[in-house]
Amino acid sequence: MPDVDLQALTCPAPRTEHAQVLLGHGSGGRMTADLIRRTFLPHLGNEFLAALEDQATLRLDGFSGSQRLAFTTDSFVVRPIFFPGGDIGRLAVHGTVNDLAVGGARPLFLAAAFILEEGLRLADLERIAASMRAACDEAGVCLVTADTKVVDRGKGDQIFITTTGIGLVPEGCRLSIHAARPGDRILVSGTIGDHGIAILSVREGLEFETVLESDSAPLCGLVQTLLAAGLAIRAMRDPTRGGLSSALHELAEASRVGVKLSEPAIPLRSEVRAACEMLGLDPLYVASEGRLIAVVAQPDAERALTVMQSHPLGRNAAIIGEVVDQHPCLVTIRSPLSTERIVPMLAGEQLPRIC
Amino acid sequence: MPDVDLQALTCPAPRTEHAQVLLGHGSGGRMTADLIRRTFLPHLGNEFLAALEDQATLRLDGFSGSQRLAFTTDSFVVRPIFFPGGDIGRLAVHGTVNDLAVGGARPLFLAAAFILEEGLRLADLERIAASMRAACDEAGVCLVTADTKVVDRGKGDQIFITTTGIGLVPEGCRLSIHAARPGDRILVSGTIGDHGIAILSVREGLEFETVLESDSAPLCGLVQTLLAAGLAIRAMRDPTRGGLSSALHELAEASRVGVKLSEPAIPLRSEVRAACEMLGLDPLYVASEGRLIAVVAQPDAERALTVMQSHPLGRNAAIIGEVVDQHPCLVTIRSPLSTERIVPMLAGEQLPRIC
């Protein structure tokens, strides 16, 4: 039984007023949602943007059957630009490839736009370019168009990269964060928060017995394997900025359902747990960059887990919760002691510039 | 007759070595070309990027006939973010729409990625969003996906916007900067340098009798009108960063031809001329953001001019030069006194952050 009166809590959450952009507006949590809903959507809104999916899926005249084009963009401003397990270039490729993949699309083409700060070492830029190429090859995408701008020293931060991707969504594929239904199971493909803590460990000079690496990885292979298995998958997301919590809040709001997590079921590295305790962070809000959340109809959930676990990127996959109808728009978590608490939507910003 | 021994000058130009990114790497001139050829292409190179067109044109499985997809990306870092005749949002829409249009594509969908600096006024962001919407509506494109990141104060400059566009290139359309042939005529759709001088006039506090406005405009309508007229058009470009000079150098290099301009034929506002004289700038290097360069086979040139002039965005169009075989990769200009001089490729940076 829930410890709090979940029914009494309405959604969406109360809004706060600001006159300026704050770091929290980039958190992936409530402030980001506010900024989108109150500043962007009133002016730019249309059916595609309003869907708030990680990618737009588009019909094109002249396209055979019911194939659709998937289209997604992301800027990467991560700091530092090199970190254990990756760099800003690799992350920029993975991030966009993954936003296509979670829509069920096969990623095909990438565009990359570079904003360089005067003074960036050209050797670093080369290293990033080489890393992007390797990441593209690994994910099977081709970087086909690019742009470079330079801003004066002190008006940027070494390098920002915006990647935009095009993919193809096969006929019949209808993944959507609006499609979760009560009873569905929630799976995650591996440990959460590795990326965020890997970045933070560099920033804060934390040391672990082993080097904790970012989980940054292309999810298209894992997604294709799952889709090929013919499972009843409703939705997929990657828990990046704002972590597992933000991804599940978006799902809960879009599908008007509740989400119930089981804390002991969530895969977590001991180093991540320790770092979170030390720094006062909740791992539910810490970004992963190579993990997949899948919402699967209950009868197929165990089989989906087996398929995930058979893939190199899903070895630590687990069923971590379920979709419920009791408390629409809310995410709750049951602790090892079986108390249930609400997982609030991330209010401010706990880890700026994580991606 | 040329005043200098043009034949003795080889292309490409000698390269200079730098260890760091300099503002000139963003100029759109020689240093940008160097950065692309030496840092990006060796790692990221493929047939699409190596073509150095303003957009990649892609074949997709399942697409009927020989239609192709056009795909292009650009970051916008212009300073100030509001200027006479436009703002960074409007510019970001026009820039990407135009890069699609000059490839012969009908622009369809846009993605926008925002990098906001902490402290940006939300009212300014709203104004920019509204302006983007108006620009999208005017150009007939739909902004279908977006992203927002926030960087800490002092690590950005109010707002950077990256727009990426998808368009459709109709069957049979084969515009390419590799396609210019000796004898072709070069047309420009209006006065050059208005955008650059409009920006600079705000930065430097210059005053004119009338307010000089940016020429920022969507070129898709003008391009479609030209294409519909069934003219033998070889290539189109928009002379943005690096101005007319950079666009024509790219054409000359890609097509291995020379370009001969006639100075008196180039449309130039008196305010732009005056400002350039005052500031020691050459208008050939100053950006326009709503002008079209078209390379047209000689027999169709006059008719193309008439078609351009009949369009609201082409009223001041002119034939400004021709493609020659005498001095491949070089651009020359004949002055009103009939002396001919080489137009060198822009070496450093004369107007940083113009777009």
Side-chain angles (χ1 to χ4, degrees):
Chain A
M1 297 299 289
D3 299 347
V4 288
D5 181 6
L6 302 180
Q7 301 296 346
L9 288 156
T10 54
C11 74
R15 309 175 320 182
T16 44
E17 296 286 341
H18 308 282
Q20 294 189 333
V21 169
L22 306 175
L23 275 177
H25 284 120
S27 65
R30 171 167 301 152
M31 289 177 66
T32 307
D34 269 4
L35 187 72
I36 293 170
R37 295 219 166 91
R38 300 172 56 208
T39 304
F40 286 115
L41 286 185
H43 297 288
L44 294 169
N46 54 49
E47 55 178 318
F48 301 103
L49 279 180
L52 299 174
E53 303 276 0
D54 275 345
Q55 72 301 120
T57 50
L58 312 166
R59 294 201 177 282
L60 281 185
D61 289 345
F63 225 16
S64 70
S66 60
Q67 279 195 109
R68 287 167 303 151
L69 210 65
F71 189 35
T72 188
T73 195
D74 257 317
S75 288
F76 294 85
V77 300
V78 67
R79 189 171 50 94
I81 58 177
F82 299 102
F83 48 81
D87 58 72
I88 190 170
R90 188 171 153 78
L91 190 66
V93 172
H94 291 160
T96 289
V97 159
N98 292 350
D99 278 350
L100 292 173
V102 298
R106 189 163 55 90
L108 294 175
F109 301 110
L110 282 194
F114 300 87
I115 299 175
L116 310 179
E117 184 192 9
E118 185 186 16
L120 172 71
R121 283 161 26 103
L122 279 175
D124 286 344
L125 183 58
E126 270 202 53
R127 194 174 147 198
I128 289 165
S131 166
M132 289 182 82
R133 174 55 173 266
C136 282
D137 289 349
E138 191 190 351
V141 293
C142 189
L143 199 166
V144 294
T145 190
D147 177 57
T148 307
K149 294 291 190 306
V150 180
V151 295
D152 17 334
R153 213 180 282 264
K155 299 295 183 183
D157 197 4
Q158 294 185 283
I159 178 170
F160 302 144
I161 305 178
T162 301
T163 45
T164 307
I166 290 179
L168 272 185
V169 185
E171 217 162 307
C173 184
R174 284 282 173 282
L175 298 173
S176 165
I177 56 164
H178 297 80
R181 299 182 209 165
D184 291 348
R185 295 302 189 257
I186 294 164
L187 283 75
V188 69
S189 65
T191 52
I192 63 165
D194 299 18
H195 173 74
I197 298 301
I199 296 282
L200 212 60
S201 66
V202 183
R203 283 197 209 152
E204 306 286 327
L206 300 185
E207 292 196 5
F208 304 103
E209 287 187 13
T210 53
V211 175
L212 179 68
E213 295 205 330
S214 164
D215 53 276
S216 182
L219 292 171
C220 35
L222 176 59
V223 166
Q224 292 305 319
T225 304
L226 279 165
L227 292 179
L231 303 154
I233 303 174
R234 315 277 198 206
M236 297 201 250
R237 272 266 155 143
D238 52 337
T240 59
R241 205 170 30 153
L244 190 64
S245 159
S246 289
L248 293 177
H249 273 99
E250 288 170 19
L251 179 90
E253 279 209 19
S255 294
R256 313 298 291 181
V257 294
V259 168
K260 251 186 189 176
L261 296 174
S262 160
E263 194 175 321
I266 299 173
L268 196 62
R269 279 189 206 286
S270 56
E271 303 96 305
V272 173
R273 186 188 307 275
C276 282
E277 277 170 10
M278 195 188 312
L279 299 163
L281 298 174
D282 184 335
L284 292 177
Y285 299 94
V286 182
S288 306
E289 291 287 344
R291 301 299 182 222
L292 180 71
I293 300 170
V295 182
V296 182
Q298 186 273 325
D300 283 358
E302 286 294 337
R303 197 155 62 88
L305 181 65
T306 308
V307 173
M308 264 196 187
Q309 288 171 339
S310 69
H311 190 280
L313 284 177
R315 275 195 295 263
N316 297 316
I319 297 177
I320 59 169
E322 63 183 308
V323 177
V324 297
D325 56 7
Q326 287 106 312
H327 42 73
C329 306
L330 283 184
V331 178
T332 64
I333 189 164
R334 187 169 290 278
S335 77
L337 301 173
S338 270
T339 55
E340 190 169 19
R341 65 175 173 91
I342 290 176
V343 178
M345 206 168 163
L346 181 60
E349 172 62 289
Q350 68 169 12
L351 294 174
R353 300 184 55 190
I354 210 70
C355 64
Chain B
M1 299 297 290
D3 299 347
V4 287
D5 181 6
L6 302 180
Q7 301 296 345
L9 286 156
T10 55
C11 74
R15 309 177 321 184
T16 45
E17 296 286 344
H18 307 282
Q20 293 189 334
V21 170
L22 306 175
L23 274 178
H25 284 120
S27 65
R30 171 167 302 150
M31 287 176 66
T32 307
D34 269 5
L35 187 73
I36 292 170
R37 296 219 166 90
R38 300 171 58 207
T39 304
F40 286 115
L41 286 184
H43 297 289
L44 294 169
N46 54 49
E47 55 178 318
F48 301 101
L49 279 181
L52 299 175
E53 302 276 1
D54 275 344
Q55 73 302 118
T57 51
L58 312 166
R59 294 200 177 282
L60 282 185
D61 289 345
F63 225 15
S64 71
S66 59
Q67 277 194 111
R68 288 166 303 151
L69 210 65
F71 189 34
T72 188
T73 195
D74 257 316
S75 289
F76 294 84
V77 299
V78 67
R79 188 170 51 93
I81 58 177
F82 299 103
F83 48 82
D87 58 72
I88 190 170
R90 189 170 153 78
L91 190 66
V93 172
H94 291 160
T96 289
V97 159
N98 291 350
D99 278 350
L100 292 173
V102 298
R106 189 164 55 90
L108 295 175
F109 301 110
L110 282 194
F114 299 86
I115 298 175
L116 310 179
E117 184 192 9
E118 186 186 15
L120 173 70
R121 282 161 27 104
L122 279 174
D124 285 344
L125 183 58
E126 271 202 52
R127 194 174 148 199
I128 290 165
S131 165
M132 289 181 81
R133 174 55 172 268
C136 283
D137 290 347
E138 191 189 351
V141 294
C142 188
L143 200 165
V144 294
T145 189
D147 177 57
T148 308
K149 293 291 190 306
V150 181
V151 296
D152 17 334
R153 214 180 279 264
K155 299 296 183 183
D157 197 3
Q158 295 184 283
I159 179 170
F160 302 144
I161 305 178
T162 301
T163 46
T164 306
I166 291 180
L168 272 185
V169 185
E171 216 162 312
C173 185
R174 284 283 172 282
L175 298 173
S176 165
I177 55 163
H178 296 80
R181 298 182 210 165
D184 291 349
R185 295 300 189 258
I186 294 163
L187 283 73
V188 70
S189 65
T191 53
I192 64 165
D194 299 18
H195 173 75
I197 297 302
I199 295 284
L200 212 61
S201 66
V202 184
R203 282 197 211 153
E204 307 285 327
L206 300 185
E207 292 196 4
F208 304 102
E209 287 188 13
T210 54
V211 174
L212 179 69
E213 295 206 330
S214 164
D215 53 276
S216 183
L219 292 171
C220 35
L222 176 60
V223 166
Q224 292 304 319
T225 305
L226 279 165
L227 292 179
L231 303 155
I233 302 174
R234 315 278 197 206
M236 296 201 252
R237 272 267 155 141
D238 53 335
T240 58
R241 207 171 27 155
L244 190 64
S245 159
S246 289
L248 293 177
H249 273 99
E250 288 170 20
L251 179 90
E253 279 209 20
S255 294
R256 314 297 291 179
V257 294
V259 167
K260 253 186 188 175
L261 296 175
S262 159
E263 195 175 320
I266 299 173
L268 196 62
R269 279 189 207 286
S270 56
E271 304 96 305
V272 172
R273 186 189 307 275
C276 282
E277 278 170 9
M278 195 189 312
L279 299 163
L281 298 174
D282 185 335
L284 293 177
Y285 299 94
V286 182
S288 306
E289 290 288 344
R291 301 299 181 221
L292 180 71
I293 301 170
V295 182
V296 182
Q298 186 272 323
D300 283 358
E302 286 294 337
R303 196 154 62 87
L305 181 64
T306 309
V307 173
M308 263 195 187
Q309 288 171 339
S310 69
H311 189 279
L313 284 177
R315 275 195 294 266
N316 297 315
I319 298 177
I320 60 168
E322 61 182 309
V323 176
V324 297
D325 57 6
Q326 286 107 311
H327 42 73
C329 306
L330 284 185
V331 178
T332 64
I333 189 164
R334 187 170 290 277
S335 76
L337 301 174
S338 270
T339 56
E340 189 168 19
R341 65 176 173 90
I342 291 176
V343 178
M345 205 167 164
L346 181 59
E349 172 61 287
Q350 69 170 14
L351 294 175
R353 300 184 54 191
I354 210 68
C355 63

